[in-house]
Amino acid sequence: MDISNTLSKKGLDAYIMIGESHNADMYYTTGFFASDKFTYLQTNSGDEILLVSEMERGRAENESRITNIRTTQDYDYRSKIKSRSDPSIAFSDTLGELLGKEGIRKIGVPHNFPFFIAQTLKEQGFWFMPIKSPFKDMRTKKSESEIANIETVQNACEKAMDTAVNLISNASESDGVLYNEGVELTSEYVRNAIEHRLLDFGCEAEATIVACGKQSSTPHWIGEGTLKANEPIIIDIFPRSKTNRYFSDMSRTVVKGTPSRQLKDMYDAVIEAQNKALELVKPGVLCNEIHNAVCDVFEEKGYDTVRNNPKLKSGFLHSTGHGVGLEVHELPSLGDNGNKLESGNVITVEPGLYYPEIGGVRIEDIVVVTEKGCRNLTEFEKKFVV
């Protein structure tokens, strides 16, 4: 977690973040889970300080990786509230007192640092520089324990995917509509089943995608209403562990019934593109090499890609993949950039094709980059017709 060299090069005394543990950098640096905002500080000598409320002192001392725990009451926060008649100003004064006693004047902050606090402290003589988070790049290379955390979530994800696919596979069909035990099977019902299954494994999910037919041609439409036979159903699950806070991510596209020739060709093309991408994943490979290889596969088969038209509305509309960790979308991005993959990156590989008059097809696996290639953490089958 040492960012002292970065701070020294920029002439900064310290780096400060304020947030709660849903902020990935906050949780990554502190290992402390809290719903209320707290403060992390690292000086240019590498010293780390965690500032929490008095109520959280005991938990922070037991749970956080930071050993230097301070509380707002150490700086007489309650008295400051009385004198200032405003908790926000009182907190800024509290932070200012801490900084002053540590000899800190020039401060680096992330781009999303609270403006009010920065402005209040500027008026007290402190100087701020917004900088790119030095922890985001650290987070791209996962440790063995982080990879194990993601694998645990992926296992839950596959159990939930199995629940969803079985509901669709076992559904009956009448007049093109799917039924479950005599009741119309809907996106909402399948999504609820997915999320209940995830809870059985200590995971949670938001905005799970179960999109059928033309709805599936919009990549992030979560889907609504009745599921139909002979049409594509994209299922995209990106759960997070409620315990370790890590995500996983997986998509499958299935059809109950008989897909059209166009849909089958799209599915075959997506599988071929994904296989090509997986073959290329290894340390040192440029992200855009992988993305371009996927575009090559699609274009050779007559499909449009975002490579040639950034405003594309149908075809291959997005990047080939993204990093996954404490955020479901983080670095590195398998898109049009010259970043190199490194061993320890955990990324998705998810080519897709989308046509409003037909529907969409997306297949997504999550892999870890190894010294010689990659290890696919996804074991769930790729079966189109169920």
Side-chain angles (χ1 to χ4, degrees), residues 144-191:
E144 289 300 320
S145 62
E146 288 179 290
I147 293 168
N149 285 340
I150 294 169
E151 286 188 273
T152 298
V153 184
Q154 177 59 22
N155 178 64
C157 186
E158 297 197 16
K159 299 293 186 185
M161 183 67 78
D162 188 57
T163 295
V165 172
N166 281 336
L167 277 170
I168 295 166
S169 177
N170 294 329
S172 59
E173 182 264 329
S174 178
D175 294 327
V177 174
L178 299 184
Y179 289 83
N180 175 58
E181 297 180 348
V183 178
E184 288 188 1
L185 186 62
T186 64
S187 294
E188 291 82 356
Y189 186 91
V190 175
R191 183 160 40 248

Side-chain angles (χ1 to χ4, degrees), residues 256-296:
K256 171 69 173 182
T258 305
S260 67
R261 181 76 250 175
Q262 288 174 304
L263 274 173
K264 189 175 186 309
D265 288 345
M266 287 168 59
Y267 191 89
D268 290 344
V270 169
I271 289 290
E272 183 176 335
Q274 189 192 47
N275 287 338
K276 182 62 177 179
L278 291 169
E279 290 173 5
L280 294 175
V281 173
K282 64 179 179 180
V285 173
L286 299 177
C287 292
N288 58 16
E289 288 183 35
I290 298 171
H291 182 64
N292 284 333
V294 167
C295 291
D296 287 342

Side-chain angles (χ1 to χ4, degrees), residues 38-58:
F38 56 97
T39 303
Y40 168 85
L41 181 153
Q42 184 174 153
T43 70
N44 59 13
S45 59
D47 295 329
E48 296 176 292
I49 297 172
L50 190 65
L51 178 68
V52 299
S53 68
E54 184 66 35
M55 182 176 66
E56 296 286 22
R57 179 196 291 272

Side-chain angles (χ1 to χ4, degrees), residues 181-292:
E181 297 180 348
V183 178
E184 288 188 1
L185 186 62
T186 64
S187 294
E188 291 82 356
Y189 186 91
V190 175
R191 183 160 40 248
N192 287 339
I194 288 169
E195 294 175 2
H196 281 127
R197 189 65 171 139
L198 288 170
L199 286 172
D200 292 337
F201 292 88
C203 295
E204 58 190 358
E206 294 182 354
T208 299
I209 294 171
V210 183
C212 180
K214 293 181 179 180
Q215 295 179 15
S216 63
S217 67
T218 301
H220 282 167
W221 190 350
I222 67 170
E224 58 187 21
T226 304
L227 300 180
K228 297 180 179 180
N230 312 316
E231 295 191 9
I233 303 171
I234 289 182
I235 307 167
D236 190 347
I237 310 173
F238 33 101
R240 175 171 61 184
S241 167
K242 296 173 70 175
T243 302
N244 66 48
R245 312 304 296 168
Y246 281 82
F247 281 90
S248 189
D249 198 358
M250 176 173 64
S251 301
R252 290 293 183 264
T253 304
V254 297
V255 169
K256 171 69 173 182
T258 305
S260 67
R261 181 76 250 175
Q262 288 174 304
L263 274 173
K264 189 175 186 309
D265 288 345
M266 287 168 59
Y267 191 89
D268 290 344
V270 169
I271 289 290
E272 183 176 335
Q274 189 192 47
N275 287 338
K276 182 62 177 179
L278 291 169
E279 290 173 5
L280 294 175
V281 173
K282 64 179 179 180
V285 173
L286 299 177
C287 292
N288 58 16
E289 288 183 35
I290 298 171
H291 182 64
N292 284 333

